[in-house]
Amino acid sequence: MAITFCLYYSSPETRDYLTKVVQASRQGTLLEALPLAQLPDKVNSGANAVFLEYPGEDRVLDAWIRRTTADHRNPPIFLYFQEITTEQLWKALRLGVKECFVFPIRPEEFQEALDRLPVLPAELGPAEPTRLTAFLGCKGGVGTTFVAVNTAYLLAQESQGQVLLVDLDLRYGQMVHFFDVKPQYTLVEVIENAENLDRSYLQSLFYQYDKNLQLLPAPLRLEDAEVVTAERLDPVLRYLKKLRIFSHILVDLGQNLDEPALKVLEMAENLIVVANQSIPALSNAKKLLDLLELLGLESATFGLWLNAWQKHGDLSVEDVSAFLGREVRGTIGHAPREVTRSINEGQPLTRQEPGHAVCRDLKLLAAQLSGRETPESKASRWGLLKLFRR
Ligand SMILES: Nc1ncnc2c1ncn2[C@@H]1O[C@H](COP(=O)(O)OP(=O)(O)OP(=O)(O)O)[C@@H](O)[C@H]1O
Ligand SMILES: [Mg+2]
């Protein structure tokens, strides 16, 4: 599908240069090109994006950009600079600009920006409430990130709207490696700018992985984890849910039950607890499930999933159920070679080998989250879980 641009430039040389950049991309096409002196008050409603040259400090232009980005019906703005300072870059982001380019623009850099453009609101489904799902591991290494990443990918393929995957494993989050991406921004920028949040500014901080999947990574440095507190996370999550731009927000909590994780659990509609077939993981699972129940998190639809499940292992699903006093919602098969390869190659297995048995299991989990589950599976609510207890 073509992506139409309105181009506003300061000189004919820039016009020709930027026209070439747009036309060299896969989908880019020009709708109109006007000198900055004729910048229209309102952006052409047929445009998918605005390409604007920023010739230097200009309050009038800043005000135009702010006005344009504040109205979410307007297309996103790409800014072009001959040269740029760090201050200008930050200012541009605060103004709600989607992308900044500096001369010379590499074709692949521009193409990546086009691929990151979010689906336009008109292409999204009806504004359903956003469903927040937390993935909590009983123990390190049980596959929480693998399960969260692949579930997010599957939900995004259903095209019921945009899906956001947040890495809240604040110290050792590894989500970016599972997708082999290097997003420019992390949770830190979102939290630090929480008071300036608006729709387009927020979306400029998320990394668009593909048409319907956006990513928000954990902080890059260990010491930055401190920035993400429960108090600061709360308004961000509330705002994101209120916006209704995402059909699903999935959060990888790792094995953390710290304050930010509890905040997510408090607000989540779904909680997926991930364990595996080992005694240490199951013994942790028991403690964790007892605690969660004690904390009164009954409102979330709960599911215990056993990852890397080996049918002919030492324990059967019934053994695990009996040990935990709770129903096991599902199992995800054991495929060390394929799973490790997908992680090392930075491609979700559900993308790389969608027909694999492990992906069929993951599809059942995605179906549960998108409300396509069977009536029996709904029995896995906390309230009913009490019936299974010793
Ligand atoms: N279904 C599976 N079959 C076989 N191996 C798996 C499966 N899922 C995950 N693994 C393996 O387990 C390892 C850990 O996976 P992952 O990083 O997703 O776990 P985690 O619980 O998020 O770990 P961490 O505690 O580091 O956050 C991976 O290297 C992967 O190879
Ligand atoms: Mg992990």
Side-chain angles (χ1 to χ4, degrees):
M1 208 182 74
I3 297 178
T4 49
F5 276 88
C6 282
L7 171 62
Y8 305 115
Y9 54 89
S10 71
S11 68
E13 290 74 37
T14 325
R15 177 196 59 204
D16 295 346
Y17 176 62
L18 297 180
T19 301
K20 256 196 240 153
V21 170
V22 170
Q23 286 171 349
S25 68
R26 263 202 318 275
Q27 315 95 312
T29 161
L30 271 194
L31 189 66
E32 71 181 16
L34 292 170
L36 277 171
Q38 292 173 29
L39 193 62
D41 194 37
K42 281 198 184 325
V43 178
N44 186 322
S45 62
N48 298 132
V50 170
F51 208 172
L52 183 70
E53 182 180 4
Y54 195 87
E57 290 307 306
D58 182 339
R59 279 166 182 241
V60 178
L61 194 53
D62 289 351
W64 185 91
I65 296 172
R66 191 177 287 113
R67 215 173 49 244
T68 305
T69 57
D71 186 343
H72 70 263
R73 290 164 301 186
N74 284 330
I77 298 181
F78 288 12
L79 274 198
Y80 170 69
F81 296 80
Q82 297 283 353
E83 284 176 343
I84 190 169
T85 63
T86 314
E87 287 73 34
Q88 278 175 321
L89 182 64
W90 275 109
K91 190 171 105 184
L93 286 171
R94 289 213 174 87
L95 288 172
V97 164
K98 176 84 182 147
E99 305 276 350
C100 290
F101 296 93
V102 186
F103 181 84
I105 303 175
R106 287 180 300 111
E108 56 279 19
E109 177 194 5
F110 191 73
Q111 186 60 53
E112 279 167 17
L114 293 197
D115 295 340
R116 276 198 295 270
L117 276 179
V119 180
L120 297 170
E123 293 176 47
L124 298 175
E128 293 284 328
T130 301
R131 272 173 284 179
L132 179 64
T133 300
F135 289 79
L136 180 61
C138 292
K139 193 178 168 301
V142 293
T144 312
T145 305
F146 171 73
V147 175
V149 158
N150 281 281
T151 308
Y153 185 78
L154 286 173
L155 288 172
Q157 302 321 300
E158 288 182 4
S159 298
Q160 288 179 353
Q162 293 282 307
V163 174
L164 175 68
L165 177 61
V166 182
D167 191 350
L168 206 76
D169 192 350
L170 294 174
R171 287 180 178 75
Y172 296 106
Q174 297 178 337
M175 176 188 79
V176 289
H177 304 304
F178 283 65
F179 291 103
D180 190 24
V181 292
K182 287 197 179 73
Q184 208 171 349
Y185 308 109
T186 70
L187 255 168
V188 173
E189 283 76 24
V190 172
I191 292 286
E192 283 183 338
N193 293 287
E195 58 286 359
N196 302 325
L197 292 183
D198 69 33
R199 182 193 169 107
S200 48
Y201 178 46
L202 246 186
Q203 286 204 286
S204 69
L205 297 176
F206 300 148
Y207 182 90
Q208 190 87 36
Y209 175 74
D210 71 8
K211 191 163 172 264
N212 288 324
L213 180 57
Q214 300 186 39
L215 308 175
L216 181 59
L220 293 177
R221 292 175 309 200
L222 275 177
E223 62 270 29
D224 285 344
E226 307 295 321
V227 172
V228 188
T229 61
E231 298 75 59
R232 299 178 87 182
L233 191 61
D234 179 90
V236 174
L237 289 176
R238 278 181 206 286
Y239 185 70
L240 277 173
K241 288 187 94 178
K242 197 178 92 189
L243 275 179
R244 294 197 176 188
I245 43 179
F246 296 104
S247 56
H248 292 273
I249 299 178
L250 307 190
V251 185
D252 178 359
L253 298 176
Q255 51 168 328
N256 301 299
L257 259 190
D258 52 11
E259 293 279 321
L262 288 172
K263 175 55 67 189
V264 173
L265 292 181
E266 189 189 302
M267 293 176 70
E269 278 78 26
N270 301 299
L271 165 60
I272 304 296
V273 175
V274 184
N276 64 16
Q277 220 161 0
S278 72
I279 296 293
L282 293 171
S283 120
N284 278 8
K286 193 163 173 47
K287 282 191 208 161
L288 180 66
L289 297 174
D290 285 345
L291 176 70
L292 291 173
E293 195 174 352
L294 201 73
L295 292 173
L297 294 159
E298 299 89 348
S299 57
T301 302
F302 159 84
L304 172 66
W305 285 77
L306 299 170
N307 184 39
W309 181 257
Q310 292 173 278
K311 242 192 202 153
H312 305 293
D314 297 337
L315 299 170
S316 66
V317 173
E318 290 72 30
D319 292 337
V320 175
S321 252
F323 172 70
L324 296 176
R326 287 155 172 108
E327 186 198 8
V328 172
R329 177 64 190 84
T331 57
I332 297 159
H334 179 70
R337 206 159 36 96
E338 293 85 340
V339 171
T340 307
R341 191 178 56 223
S342 84
I343 297 173
N344 288 343
E345 291 180 7
Q347 292 261 350
L349 187 67
T350 39
R351 177 181 193 166
Q352 211 168 43
E353 293 187 55
H356 194 283
V358 166
C359 300
R360 288 203 294 276
D361 297 336
L362 287 158
K363 280 178 194 159
L364 294 176
L365 171 45
Q368 183 199 345
L369 297 182
S370 58
R372 292 182 286 103
E373 56 180 350
T374 59
E376 308 86 69
S377 63
K378 286 193 176 155
S380 57
R381 281 181 182 272
W382 274 99
L384 291 176
L385 283 172
K386 287 183 185 139
L387 296 174
F388 290 89
R389 303 213 59 197
R390 287 165 297 228

